[in-house]
Structure formats: C-alpha cells, structure tokens
Amino acid sequence: MGNFRITRSPIPDLRIIETRRFADDRGHFSETFSQSALADDGFDAPFVQDNQSLSRATGTLRGLHFQTAPFAQDKLVRVIAGSVWDVAVDLRRSSPTFRQWYGLELSAENGLQLLVPVGFAHGFLTLEPETIVAYKVTAPYSGANDAGVAWDDPDLAVGWPLPVAEPVLSDKDRNLPRLAHAALFD
C-alpha cells in the first residue's frame, strides 16, 4: 500500500485514508499527510489552515458544521488522542447521495483519517474523555460563512452511538437549524 491506502466510503466522494505505521520497541511512526498521495487519487486542493480541538468529556458532540462559498472547505480529519464517531452528510442538492450520511470511528489507535469534501456537513461525537481532533482545511475560517445543520435532525437520522444519555453541546450547536432551513450546496 505504500505509506497510504485511500479508499472510498459508500458515499464515493468521501475518502478514508489509512496510514502505514512503522512500529518498534519505542512505539510507532507514521507519515500522516502526503499531498502527492492525495493528488494521485484526484484531490489536489491546497490546505491552508490546521485546526485542533480538545473535548474533555465523553459524549461531546461538535457539528454538524460547514462553511458556504466562497469559503467552503474540504477537511482532512484525524484523531491525535482518544476516539470519535466521525460523520459527514452530503448537502449537495444535485448529488445522487444528497442527505445521506456516513460515519466511522476515527481514533489515535486506528490512525484512520476522513477526507470530507466541499458540500458536506461534518461533525463528531467523542467516545473517550480528553479526545483531541486535528484537521486540515482548504479555506480559512469565515464567521460570515459559518453554517451548520442540527445534529439530531430527523430528516437526516444520523446514527450517533451516544455513550451518554445526552451529548455535551455548545449553544451554537444546540441551536443549529434543521436541514429544511439550512444553507445547502447546488
């Protein structure tokens, strides 16, 4: 596989990236990003910003977020510590997978990454305390273009594996609109 194996999820535009780990008595080493490997798979947008979040409590839910044009973002998401249930929802009206979601566990242990393209909302639910998520984006943050969809919208019916009775949410995420009232992509 070289250092990277890139596969497609059931929603073909979402890429799952597995990085090869080289282990010895000290631990392991892995190359976590390669622009050339992504370009070989047809993704050549440059990343312009790295973001990182720490979620202290198990059951912290962040999302479902996206940015609108001209600051729409592709995201390359990975977990540095702990684990999350990572979700992407297709918000492209013209897509055959419009309103479909895909989720998978990303963890420090499994080293998987998810490449979420423009046109998708993204969110995650922490499965462990003290979880650190890092992601690269292809456009800078723009408050004027910051948008999202309610994590519990019944029209999306995302299968969140809630490890607690109620997720820990920010006020912003608690008040995100339902899909019927959200900004969408063409």
Side-chain angles (χ1 to χ4, degrees), residues 67-80:
Q67 287 195 170
T68 59
F71 292 96
Q73 300 172 322
D74 302 281
K75 294 180 181 178
L76 179 59
V77 185
R78 68 187 182 103
V79 171
I80 296 173

Side-chain angles (χ1 to χ4, degrees), residues 91-95 184-186:
L91 298 183
R92 302 167 300 172
R93 284 188 212 114
S94 61
S95 170
L184 298 176
F185 296 86
D186 290 327

Side-chain angles (χ1 to χ4, degrees), residues 15-30:
R15 293 172 173 92
I16 302 162
I17 300 169
E18 180 182 352
T19 58
R20 187 172 171 196
R21 288 188 170 168
F22 300 90
D24 62 23
D25 295 340
R26 300 168 296 169
H28 68 266
F29 168 84
S30 60

Side-chain angles (χ1 to χ4, degrees), residues 71-126:
F71 292 96
Q73 300 172 322
D74 302 281
K75 294 180 181 178
L76 179 59
V77 185
R78 68 187 182 103
V79 171
I80 296 173
S83 60
V84 301
W85 178 249
D86 202 67
V87 172
V89 179
D90 191 347
L91 298 183
R92 302 167 300 172
R93 284 188 212 114
S94 61
S95 170
T97 56
F98 175 59
R99 294 178 19 168
Q100 291 182 27
W101 63 271
Y102 175 74
L104 80 161
E105 184 175 325
L106 302 181
S107 69
E109 182 68 28
N110 71 23
L112 295 176
Q113 299 180 58
L114 185 64
L115 181 62
V116 181
V118 167
F120 284 74
H122 172 258
F124 61 84
L125 172 71
T126 61

Side-chain angles (χ1 to χ4, degrees), residues 140-156:
Y141 175 76
S142 168
N145 299 84
D146 190 24
V149 177
W151 69 276
D152 58 350
D153 188 328
D155 289 337
L156 298 176

